[in-house]
Amino acid sequence: MEPGDAKNREALRLRLMGLGDSSLHKSYYPELQKRLGELERFRTLLDRANDAIFLVSLRDGCVRYANASARRYGLLLGAKDLQLQCLPLKNLLLGGNGEGVDMDRILAASAFDSGEEGRCVLDLFTDEGLRRCELSVSVPETSGDVHAVLILRDVEDRLAAEDRLRETLHQVEEARSRTVSLTAAIVELKDSFTGQHQRRTAQLASAIGRHLGVSGGELYDLVTAAMMHDMGLMAIPTDILFAPRPLSEVEWLLVHRHPLIGKTLMDRENFPSSVSVPLVQHHERLDGSGYPRGLSGRHIVSLARILAVADVAEAMSSHRPYRPAHDRSVVLAELAAGRGGQFDAAVVDACVALLEEGFAFAPHPVEELSQG
Amino acid sequence: MVGGESLRKFVAPEIVFGEGALELSGRFVRNLGGRRILVVSDPGVIAAGWTEKVLESLKGANLSVVVYENVRTNPSTASVMEGASVFVREQCDMILAVGGGSPMDCAKAIGAVVSNEQHVLEFEGVDNVALPPPPLVCVPTTAGSAADVSQFAIITDEVRKVKFAIISKTMVPDVALIDPRTTLTMEKNLTVATGMDALTHAVEAYVSDASSPLTDLHALETVRLVARHLPGAAAELDNREHRRGMMLASLYAGLAFSNAGLGMVHALAHSLGGALDLPHGECNALLLRHGCAANHSAVPERFARILQAFREGECMASMSPVAPTPPEKVLEELVARVEVLGGISGIAVRLRDFGLCREDIPRIARFAYQDACLLTNPRHLDAAELEEVLHGAW
C-alpha cells in the first residue's frame, strides 16, 4: 500500500496504532487449537483401533500411552492415569505363567524378520481370561527418550478356528485313509495278486512322484489312486480274472472296463477328481493306444502318466499265475521302448533311475497313506 | 521497601479505550482464534442492551456464540462451575465477558476451571492457576472494578460465606475493549459505588508496599480523575465527558492495583461482602476512610500526595489554585473528601447500617486477616487490629 493518498494514509495510521483489521497481538492460541484438534483426531483414531496400542519407554519400562483397547489388558490390575504416574508394562500385562510381561521378555520372544518390526504370540490375561495374543513390537527412531511401540492383537479366536479346521481336516483325511486301506484290504482278500500289485504300484508311483517333485496333497492323491487303481477288476468274473490263458476278445472288452468301474465306485463315494481321474486314465497311453477312451497327449493328466508307468513296471517285475516275473533288464527295455511314445519320457526316466538305483518294494503298507 | 532499587513488574492486557471499542469485539475475538464464544454477562447488562450489541459484533465476524447469564452480584463458585460446564458442553473455545466486575471475575474463573479441569476453590491464593485459560476479551460496563485489566478474580464461596481472591498473571485478560458509552446506563448509586471502588483501588495501590513509579503514575491520576469527574457523573448521568473521565480513572486504578496490590480496605471488604452479600463498591466506600486512618502513620507523605492529587483534580474542575496542606491536617482533609464523595448517593456510613451484628466482627476480622490483599498493606496488621478497625466503623 502506497502512503500517498489520504485514505491510505489513514489506513496505515490505524495499523500503526494497532487498530487495523489484522493488527494482531502475538498469540499462539489459533495454532495451538489447530494442533490440539489434530491430536484429538489422532487419539480418536487410535482409540477406535481394535488392537491395543502401547507406547513404552525403554528407559524405565513404563507405559507412556495406551489407547482405549489397551484397557482390556490392564483391567485386572487396575490401570490408572498414565500421565500422572509411572506404570510399568509388567504391571499391566500378565502372562499365562502368572508373571508380568516386560519389554525384555517381548523382545526376546520376538522374531525380527525385516529388522524393523518383531512379532511373537504370547498367552496373556485379558478381561476375557487367558488369550493368545499376537504382539508386534517396533522401536521407531525418535529424539530423546527411546520408546517401543507395542501393538497387541487378540488372535485367540483366529488361532482356535485354525486349530478346529486343522482337526477337522485331519479327521477327514483319516476317514479317507481308512476307506482306502479297507478297500485295498478287501481287494487283497479276494485277489492277493491284485492286492499286492496295488500296494507295490503305490510304492513305486509315490517314489516316481517324489522324484519328479510331486508333494503334499498331490502326492497323497497319487498314492490313493494307485492303492485302488485296479479295484474295478473285482467286478470281473473270477474265472476270467484268474484264467491261466490268453483271454478272448469279449473277455478283454470286459477287463478293459475295470478303470471305468473303479471310477464309478469312487464317484459314488465323492472322491475328488484329482484321485478318480488318474485312476480312470491309468491304462491310457500318450500315443492314444490305451483304454478305455483312447485318450492321448495332454488329455492324460500327469498323475495318470506316473501311475501308468508304475503299473506296468510293477506288473512286469512281479510273478503272475500265468507267467513268472520278468528280469529287471526286460522291464527296463520295455520302458525304454515306450519312452516318448506310450509313456511320458520324464516319468520313464524317473522310473528307470529308481530301478537302476535298486528300488526295493517294501513288504508292507505304504507309509504315505497315513500322512497328512 | 517502596520504590528505590527493588524490582518491579508491570503486566497489562492489550487495551482499546474509547467510544466504539465495543464494536471491535468481533474482530479481536476472531483474531485471537475464537470460533465458538462463551459470552458471560448478567441480566442487568443484558437489559441495558450492551450484551446484544456485543453479540451483533461477534455474529458480524461469523462467530457462533453461547450466552451464559446466570451471574449475580458477587459471583459464586456454583455460578463459575456452571459456566465452565456450559463452556465444555457447548464446545466453546474462547470467552468474552461483558458487564461489571461480577461477570468479568466469573469469566476469568470459568477460564481457569476449563483449562485446568479443577474446582474453582483450588485456585484460591496467589499463582495457583497452572495452565493459562483460553483467551479472554473483556468489555467493562462499569467504571470501577477494572477486572478487565487486573490479575484478580474475586469469587464468593457460598459455603464458607466469604469472598476469596484468585490472583495470577494468567488471570489478566487478553484484551480489554473499554467503551465509556457502556457506563451511560448506570444509575446514580451504582455510579458512585463503582467510582468509590476505583478511588479505593488507587489509594490502596499508591500506599501499597509493592507500589512503583509505574503504578504511582496511574494511581495519582486516578485520584485526580475521580475528584474531577465523580461528582459530575453522579449529578449528570448522561454527561459523556464525566463518564469518559471515570472510565479512564477506573482503567488507571486497575493498572495500578493489579501490579502494586491492595491493602486492608480490600481485605475487610472481601470478608464483609462475602458474609453479608454486599455490593463491593459500597463496602469500599464505607471502609476507605477507616483504612486511611489506620495506615496514615505508616506512609504519611504518600497520603499527603494523595490529598494533593485530590485537590489538583478539584482545581481542574473549579480552575482555582492548589494551596499546600499542613501535614497534621492531611488525614482530616482526605477523610472529609472521601466522606463527601461517598455521601453523594447516600451510601451507608456505619457498618451497622449494612445489617452487620457486632458479634460477627471477630469472624469478619479473622477471614480478612487471611486475605491475600493484606500482603501489600503498608503496615502489618493482625486480626485483633483489624477487629478494632471494624469496631470503629460499626
Side-chain angles (χ1 to χ4, degrees):
Chain A
M1 202 190 308
E2 287 300 317
D5 65 86
K7 199 176 153 201
N8 282 352
R9 285 185 68 84
E10 181 55 21
L12 276 179
R13 187 174 155 274
L14 281 175
R15 285 199 203 175
L16 186 70
M17 291 163 64
L19 290 170
D21 214 9
S22 53
S23 304
L24 306 185
H25 207 254
K26 186 160 124 186
S27 171
Y28 297 111
Y29 194 67
E31 184 64 18
L32 183 71
Q33 276 195 303
K34 202 180 107 203
R35 301 287 178 93
L36 279 176
E38 281 168 15
L39 274 179
E40 201 62 37
R41 283 193 291 281
F42 273 114
R43 174 155 294 207
T44 308
L45 202 65
L46 288 173
D47 280 347
R48 286 263 170 159
N50 260 328
D51 295 352
I53 302 170
F54 294 93
L55 191 66
V56 185
S57 166
L58 289 182
R59 186 169 49 80
D60 56 10
C62 288
V63 176
R64 291 280 182 271
Y65 169 79
N67 70 348
S69 299
R71 301 275 152 187
R72 297 190 57 214
Y73 301 90
L75 277 182
L76 287 173
L77 297 157
K80 298 185 187 71
D81 192 341
L82 302 173
Q83 304 296 326
L84 296 178
Q85 65 179 84
C86 169
L87 186 65
L89 184 67
K90 64 175 159 45
N91 292 1
L92 258 177
L93 297 184
L94 190 63
N97 58 1
E99 285 175 16
V101 177
D102 58 13
M103 281 312 297
D104 289 343
R105 173 149 173 227
I106 292 169
L107 289 171
S110 297
F112 285 79
D113 296 337
S114 57
E116 289 286 306
E117 186 190 14
R119 283 180 184 280
C120 63
V121 174
L122 294 177
D123 288 342
L124 294 175
F125 276 103
T126 72
D127 53 2
E128 290 178 70
L130 193 59
R131 311 274 288 179
R132 277 173 286 181
C133 299
E134 186 180 62
L135 283 77
S136 151
V137 60
S138 56
V139 184
E141 279 186 28
T142 49
S143 56
D145 201 1
V146 184
H147 290 97
V149 177
L150 200 60
I151 301 173
L152 273 72
R153 175 173 295 181
D154 185 332
V155 289
E156 181 63 39
D157 290 342
R158 197 190 80 201
L159 293 181
E162 282 177 8
D163 289 348
R164 279 197 301 278
L165 201 62
R166 201 175 295 121
E167 178 62 21
T168 305
L169 190 65
H170 184 63
Q171 284 170 2
V172 168
E173 283 171 352
E174 275 197 334
R176 181 166 139 187
S177 296
R178 280 197 297 274
T179 305
V180 173
S181 296
L182 191 60
T183 308
I186 291 168
V187 169
E188 196 157 357
L189 270 180
K190 187 181 176 194
D191 174 357
S192 65
F193 286 106
T194 301
Q196 280 182 42
H197 165 66
Q198 288 192 139
R199 250 194 301 116
R200 289 155 60 100
T201 301
Q203 288 172 22
L204 181 56
S206 170
I208 296 170
R210 272 186 276 195
H211 197 91
L212 292 170
V214 178
S215 64
E218 206 185 3
L219 187 65
Y220 183 51
D221 287 342
L222 175 60
V223 171
T224 304
M227 281 294 286
M228 302 165 86
H229 75 276
D230 274 345
M231 68 178 172
L233 288 173
M234 295 304 103
I236 311 296
T238 313
D239 52 335
I240 299 174
L241 200 58
F242 296 149
R245 56 173 171 78
L247 298 177
S248 72
E249 198 173 329
V250 178
E251 288 168 339
W252 269 120
L253 281 174
L254 264 176
V255 171
H256 284 184
R257 287 186 53 78
H258 82 268
L260 290 170
I261 296 166
K263 180 172 187 294
T264 304
L265 291 171
M266 281 204 155
D267 289 347
R268 275 187 205 158
E269 298 304 321
N270 285 324
F271 272 81
S273 62
S274 56
V275 177
S276 63
V277 170
L279 180 138
V280 78
Q281 293 183 348
H282 77 272
H283 277 295
E284 301 287 0
R285 296 294 178 256
L286 282 185
D287 56 7
S289 64
Y291 64 85
R293 302 223 182 278
L295 299 175
S296 63
R298 59 182 177 83
H299 297 293
I300 302 168
V301 302
S302 60
L303 294 189
R305 299 173 189 204
I306 296 170
L307 191 47
V309 171
D311 182 29
V312 168
E314 197 290 323
M316 290 181 74
S317 307
S318 301
H319 171 76
R320 282 289 181 275
Y322 49 88
R323 60 154 175 80
H326 293 290
D327 277 345
R328 178 156 290 191
S329 58
V330 177
V331 177
L332 291 175
E334 178 73 15
L335 289 175
R339 183 182 184 278
Q342 292 184 317
F343 304 120
D344 186 305
V347 177
V348 169
D349 292 347
C351 184
V352 167
L354 283 165
L355 293 178
E356 283 180 344
E357 281 168 19
F359 176 83
F361 294 103
H364 263 296
V366 185
E367 292 167 17
E368 284 76 11
L369 265 180
S370 57
Q371 75 159 32
Chain B
M1 276 202 292
V2 176
E5 298 299 309
S6 44
L7 287 171
R8 289 293 185 268
K9 168 168 160 169
F10 193 89
V11 180
E14 194 175 359
I15 298 166
V16 180
F17 184 93
E19 298 192 358
L22 182 150
E23 278 83 1
L24 299 180
S25 304
R27 181 203 292 177
F28 274 83
V29 167
R30 196 191 55 214
N31 284 347
L32 278 168
R35 285 186 299 266
R36 190 159 167 78
I37 318 305
L38 183 72
V39 175
V40 181
S41 191
D42 68 33
V45 179
I46 291 171
W50 301 117
T51 310
E52 191 52 43
K53 281 206 157 41
V54 168
L55 293 180
E56 275 169 29
S57 173
L58 294 178
K59 285 168 186 165
N62 291 321
L63 299 162
S64 69
V65 293
V66 179
V67 178
Y68 177 66
E69 57 165 288
N70 191 18
V71 182
R72 48 170 205 87
T73 308
N74 301 329
S76 64
T77 53
S79 186
V80 171
M81 297 314 286
E82 184 186 48
S85 72
V86 172
F87 183 98
V88 173
R89 188 181 68 230
E90 296 287 342
Q91 297 183 305
C92 298
D93 49 23
M94 238 187 97
I95 304 175
L96 181 144
V98 49
S102 298
M104 289 195 284
D105 280 352
C106 188
K108 287 169 154 184
I110 286 172
V113 170
V114 297
S115 65
N116 291 274
E117 297 180 342
Q118 286 176 269
H119 193 277
V120 62
L121 286 169
E122 298 177 57
F123 303 127
E124 178 173 355
V126 186
D127 284 352
N128 286 327
V129 182
L131 297 176
L136 172 65
V137 172
C138 284
V139 180
T141 62
T142 62
S145 77
D148 46 306
V149 295
S150 81
Q151 60 162 328
F152 289 65
I154 309 297
I155 304 297
T156 299
D157 177 356
E158 56 277 71
V159 176
R160 283 181 296 163
K161 288 209 174 298
V162 66
K163 284 181 166 187
F164 65 93
I166 302 170
I167 306 172
S168 164
K169 273 19 99 178
T170 64
M171 289 286 94
V172 178
D174 293 73
V175 176
L177 300 174
I178 307 174
D179 193 329
R181 287 176 307 170
T182 59
T183 59
L184 286 166
T185 49
M186 281 198 293
E187 39 81 36
K188 186 175 169 185
N189 282 350
L190 187 59
T191 302
V192 176
T194 52
M196 290 303 286
D197 192 17
L199 179 65
T200 309
H201 289 155
V203 171
E204 293 218 285
Y206 190 69
V207 301
S208 155
D209 68 3
S211 66
S212 72
L214 275 168
T215 58
D216 289 350
L217 197 63
H218 293 97
L220 289 176
E221 186 61 14
T222 303
V223 175
R224 287 184 200 105
L225 287 167
V226 170
R228 183 176 173 192
H229 294 292
L230 184 53
E236 280 182 81
L237 292 177
D238 56 356
N239 184 305
R240 289 183 175 241
E241 193 200 334
H242 290 314
R243 289 298 195 186
R244 185 182 169 86
M246 284 310 296
M247 198 55 146
L248 204 51
S250 169
L251 167 61
Y252 285 160
L255 292 173
F257 91 78
S258 178
N259 291 285
L262 293 161
M264 57 167 289
V265 176
H266 269 80
L268 289 171
H270 290 156
S271 179
L272 191 63
L276 299 180
D277 196 16
L278 299 169
H280 178 62
E282 293 188 22
C283 292
N284 278 336
L286 189 153
L287 292 165
L288 178 56
R289 61 195 179 90
H290 300 282
C292 290
N295 282 330
H296 177 258
S297 61
V299 280
E301 69 292 346
R302 290 227 144 214
F303 279 101
R305 286 287 294 122
I306 291 171
L307 177 62
Q308 196 191 340
F310 235 114
R311 297 182 60 183
E312 285 162 8
E314 289 161 359
C315 288
M316 282 182 198
S318 65
M319 302 303 282
S320 58
V322 180
T325 310
E328 68 278 9
K329 290 272 191 189
V330 165
L331 184 60
E332 187 187 323
E333 287 205 24
L334 186 59
V335 166
R337 281 171 167 79
V338 169
E339 282 176 352
V340 166
L341 287 179
I344 294 175
S345 67
I347 293 172
V349 289
R350 311 292 319 174
L351 285 177
R352 71 187 82 164
D353 302 332
F354 278 150
L356 178 70
C357 304
R358 218 185 161 90
E359 308 82 76
D360 288 335
I361 286 179
R363 197 176 77 91
I364 306 281
R366 206 166 55 247
F367 278 128
Y369 184 65
Q370 288 155 12
D371 196 288
C373 291
L374 215 54
L375 292 170
T376 49
N377 198 62
R379 74 184 183 91
H380 179 265
L381 287 163
D382 57 26
E385 289 170 289
L386 290 172
E387 213 176 297
E388 207 175 302
V389 172
L390 286 170
H391 278 296
W394 194 78

